[in-house]
Each structure stands twice: as C-alpha cells, then as structure tokens.
Amino acid sequence: MSSLAAFSRVSTRRFKINFHLLGVRACGLATMGDGGAGKVTVQDVEKAAGRLAGHARETPVLTCGTLDALAGRKLFFKSENLQKSGSFKFRGAFNAISRLITSANQNPPPVVTHSSGNHACALALAAHQLGVTAHVVMPSTAPQCKKETVRGYGGNVIECVPTEQARVETMERIAQQEGAVYISSSQHPDVISGQGTMALELLRQVPDLDTVITPVGGGGMLAGVSLVMKALNPHIRVYGAEPELANDAATSLAQGKRCPLSYYPETIADGLRINMGPVAWPYIQEHVDDIICVTEDEIKNAMTLIWQRMKLVVEPSGVLGLAAVLSDSFKAREQEAKNVAIILSGGNLDLLKLPELLSL
Amino acid sequence: IERAAGTLSGHAVVTPVQTCETLDVLAGRKLFFKCENFQKSGSFKFRGAFNAVSELASGSGKSPHRPQIVTYSCGNFGCGLALAAKIQGATAHVVMPNNSAECKKQAVLSYGANLVLCERTPQGKATKLKQVQSETGAVLTSGGEHSDVMAGHGTMGLELLKQVPDLDAVIMPTSSGGMLAGVSTAIKSSRSEVRVFGAEPEMASATADSLRTGERRPLAEDPGSVADGLNGKLGALTWPYIRQNVDGVFTVSEDEIKNAMRLVWERMKLVVEPSGVVGVAAVLS
C-alpha cells in the first residue's frame, strides 16, 4: 500500500482538524525518502535547487543608487516579483510536488491547498508544469483576478464561504474525495527547502553579503533562507520584517515561544496576515537575529519608492524588507550592515487598488 | 556607437533582458524584453544624453567654465540630460512644456538641472530655448537631432546582439527617431539579416507614413496619444538612417497600447510608461 494513500486517509480521519496542526501532520507524513520527518538541512535545499533548475527562475538582483543613499548602505534587491507565477512561492510549491512525484512511483496524486494568494497561483502553475492536478480552495471573497489566474494556470478552483473553518473543511473533503495531498504554503519541509534556494542564489549573486532581510508571514521563506545563511556563513545577519499590525513573529522571538494572534489582523500587506506557523518557528528561533516591525505608512512609503524609483511592480507584502531597512530602528541598530540583500517577495496585486497603497 | 559604449561603460546600466512565457504564448514567438525602464534616470535617453555631454565636455576641456547644455524635452531626454550633466560636472537647462508629467519635472529638478517651463507650442519652445542660450551660452543638444545622442542610443543594439544570440528581429517605439536610427545602425552593421522595426501610435504615425512614401512627413501638432513621449517630430538627421536600415514601422491603436501596458504591469511586474510598451503592442497586433 502506498504510504501516500495511507496519509490521505489517515490525515482526514484520525487527527483533529486544525489549520496549523494539519500542516504539521502533513509535513510529518509527507516527508519521505530523506529520513522521515527530520529537520530541513542545507543539503535538502541544495537538492531543491537541483530540482528547480530550468524551471524556477534564478531571479536578478537589482540595485538603485537613490535607495542606497536613503538607506546609507548598499542594497541588493532579489526580485522574486519576477519569479514564475509572480512570487517566490513557486519555488516551494515546485519542489514539494517534484518530490511527491518521485516518491509516488507511478500515478502521482493530485495536490490540494487552501489559499487566496500567491501560494494558490504558485501551486497551480507548478502542478500544471509537472503534469499533476491541483485543487485550490479559495474563499468566495478572494479577488476575481486571483481566481482567474489560478484557473488560467490549469488549477481547479473550489469556492467556499470566507471562514477559516470552511477553508479547512472544504480542503479536507477534496483531499479525501480526490485522494489529493495537502501542500501547505509555508509549513511543509519541502516548501521550506524550496524557499531556501533563494539564499543559495544570493550567496552567489552578492559578493560580501553581510545582511539579509525578508518579509515574514507563515515563516517558510524566513525559515529556509535563515537556515541556509547560518549554515554556510554564520556571520551573515538575517532579519525578518513584519507589519506592526501583524507582529506575531516578532513577539514570538522576543518571548521565546510561538505567540500566534487570535484574530485576523488588518494590514495592507495582505500576504502577511497569517500567523508564523509551528514548523517554521524552530528555524526562525534558532537562526534569525531579529524581526523588525514597520507601520502601514512605512509600507506605503516603501511601495512608492520601489514603484517610482525602481520601476518594479511589487505588492505591499513584498516591500516589507525595504520598509524595515529604511526604519529609524534599523538605522540606529545596524551600523555594520554594509551590503544588505532585500527579498522582494512578490508582485501579485489588484492594480485598481494601487492609489490606496502608495503614499502620493 | 562602439566608442559611445566605451564612454558609457561604468555609467549607464547594461540593462537585463527579461522573458515572459505568457507573452510568448500570446505573441506566438519568443520575446526578449530589454528593460530600459531600469536605466539611469528611468529611460534609455540617458545613454544618448551621457554620450553627448561627454563629447561636449571633452571638446571644451580647456575652458575653466562648467559646460552648459540646453535642450527641449517632453520629459525623458530632459531627465537623462539632467542626470548625465550632474555626473559629469556640467550644467543642464531643460525647457519642458508646462503640462508635462509632474514626475518628469520633479526628476529634472532632483538631478540639479535648471527647469524652464514653456507653452506647449512651437513659439513657446523657440522663445525659451533662445532665451536660455543667450543668457547662458548653453549649447543646444536635441534629443533627436544629434549624432552623439544617436550613437549613445545605438549601444542598446550592441548589447542586444550579445544578450540574445539567436536574435532575428528587434522592435522599438519611435518618434523623433534617435533610438531607431542608432539601434538599426548598430544591428545592421554586424548582422544585416536581423530585421529592425519601429512601432508608433496610429495617432502619431509620422515615421510609418514617411517610410511608406519615401519622404520625411511632418507630424500633426500635438497628436495627443497616451504615449506622451512619442509626440515628437521625425528628425531630419535621423530620417536617412531609418530609411536605409529599418524594415518597417507598425502602428497601434490607443487601446492596443493600454492593453499592452496592462500585460506588462500585471504579467511581467514591470513599471513601464505608455510610450515604452508600444513595441509590445505592435508585436501582439
């Protein structure tokens, strides 16, 4: 009996259904072939890089003299808005589905997730490219353009009422019905190692790198990037950047234990509203030097700078790193940071909303 | 053009070439986007401006005074010239129509140039240009009518030949013709089999009309296309190069320009101005 089939049945019947818990179970049972449910290592990330080669883009690192002057240091922008499907999420999704196919022998199962954002698009595109069916549960209130993008990439959209419970229950129903494997947007080890490939690229693309900063939502990117940086060059400082209004990761780091918010925060950085998850947390706790929080105005200011000076379409969640580097607290603390890599995580947004998102 | 490439080295950006599978599918061919929106001062005009200022500055090397340059520009050439002048220790005076985009006026000022606003009429432009020249002795450097500017712009052709090895066609927006003249010369000089095309708004189709009749045709005064950078006259200096080297000029409607803009912003995640996507619109037409 394939262990995958066992996983599908077991996960939907035996375990209490809970968004983050399901992610943990999915991770534990879906990690096969590399010693079971173990920690993600640099070797896993290097293997992920091999799988992504020729599929995910090695995105360019762009610079901007004006922003260097504002920041008082050299900034290197890893432009994941230019990644396939419009965000870095493609890396983790592609790696996770690739590994699923390898361990399935024949007839890989379909995949399922619930997301109204970048992971939905990334999973649909990665699945399409790998010849696997993707089912994406999306709340009925998700932007029409996102639903159309997922369909355009060949994904099957299943709408549900816009509550956390409905998303999870609908997803489980589909998983059971279709024998589909759940791929979490940030808590799956193969997703974390996929996101970590950005760090490998940065180490090649930016000589004398001393600092890296990434936005943090569920924590998959920060977990993957930080574990690689600290494994290969522990002198490099790694920071997360979060909206003050959604500061669960910063609070967790300060308290030494995971402190998820009990409500859904309102921030224009819509990709960062979810809590940092339990699988990403241990990596963040171990490897991240600090998490910097920024105001909504600082996010809008960073948006305006990137759109106007760098000519890049980046969504609000994606500019958190720049907002953090330009903040007074970063400038006060980080005298030594000379060569700072900032990951611009994605560029998927509704253009009609643009006037609200810029400080003009 | 090769000499200009040497002058620009270390100053102008060798801009990346981006690709987009969605647009390849829409176009039915492989597309390679040379991203001059990432160029210093936000457009390719910096190349020609920098080369022109450099030639001027080296020419007046014995003079103790800062070289003074004046131009008339609807925007991008003024910005490019302002920045090029600042880098090389020259003073730029930019005469700009008073209804130009605010961001273009601000950019010129932020680069330390002297901004002189004029009426958007031939008389308004001529009056102000003459005034600046007589007051400052500034040398007139046209964005379209200057061989050093054309040579600077032509460096994009050299880069493209290196960046896209199996290139078989190049297309670019055109108005006064400085880019089309320079790039077509660069491309045809080493690979004459590569086809070179211009792209224009239907509302401002002077180059297409000129190629069709074989004679340089005037443009209607202020054609009013959304592609605000392409409302200039096809220049007398650039026309011979275009007539000789260019295989054709495509025209596109205002809606096609807007559709292309939406595709580039939404699918490619690039901030490109309307004039900048006219080549994309043409390829999809």
Side-chain angles (χ1 to χ4, degrees), chain A residues 81 84 307 311 313 347-348, chain B residues 19 21 37 265 268-269 271:
Chain A
N81 57 322
K84 295 248 177 95
W307 284 63
K311 317 297 186 204
V313 171
N348 291 326
Chain B
T19 58
E21 282 167 18
N37 55 323
W265 283 53
M268 296 192 71
K269 314 300 181 194
V271 173

Side-chain angles (χ1 to χ4, degrees), chain A residues 57 60 62 81-82 84-86 129 149 153 306-314 347-349 351 354, chain B residues 16 18-22 37-38 41-43 103 107 110-111 261-262 264-272:
Chain A
R57 298 223 164 118
L62 301 172
N81 57 322
L82 305 179
K84 295 248 177 95
S85 82
Q129 293 197 345
T149 301
Y153 287 147
I306 287 180
W307 284 63
Q308 282 195 336
R309 307 313 300 231
M310 295 192 72
K311 317 297 186 204
L312 291 171
V313 171
V314 182
N348 291 326
L349 76 164
L351 288 178
L354 196 56
Chain B
Q18 296 286 337
T19 58
C20 175
E21 282 167 18
T22 305
N37 55 323
F38 294 154
S41 80
S43 87
C103 59
S110 76
Y111 293 138
M261 193 138 151
R262 181 134 190 197
V264 170
W265 283 53
E266 274 187 348
R267 307 314 300 233
M268 296 192 71
K269 314 300 181 194
L270 295 174
V271 173
V272 182

Side-chain angles (χ1 to χ4, degrees), chain A residues 268-289:
Chain A
I268 54 168
D270 55 293
L272 305 181
R273 290 154 106 190
I274 66 168
N275 284 311
M276 179 186 57
V279 175
W281 164 234
Y283 299 94
I284 291 174
Q285 186 177 32
E286 185 178 350
H287 300 301
V288 173
D289 292 288

Side-chain angles (χ1 to χ4, degrees), chain A residues 77-161:
Chain A
F77 295 89
K78 182 96 175 112
S79 303
E80 289 291 305
N81 57 322
L82 305 179
Q83 185 51 265
K84 295 248 177 95
S85 82
S87 86
F88 74 96
K89 301 254 180 179
F90 181 81
R91 295 171 181 264
F94 192 94
N95 190 48
I97 300 176
S98 283
R99 288 211 61 210
L100 203 64
I101 291 172
T102 311
S103 42
N105 288 329
Q106 23 178 305
N107 298 332
V111 293
V112 64
T113 197
H114 62 96
S115 161
S116 56
N118 290 338
H119 180 63
C121 300
L123 193 77
L125 181 62
H128 178 72
Q129 293 197 345
L130 288 166
V132 161
T133 305
H135 302 283
V136 181
V137 174
M138 301 180 83
S140 53
T141 49
Q144 196 55 30
C145 57
K146 290 260 165 91
K147 295 179 199 168
E148 276 160 20
T149 301
V150 173
R151 288 191 184 107
Y153 287 147
N156 177 32
V157 174
I158 304 101
E159 296 195 28
C160 66
V161 291

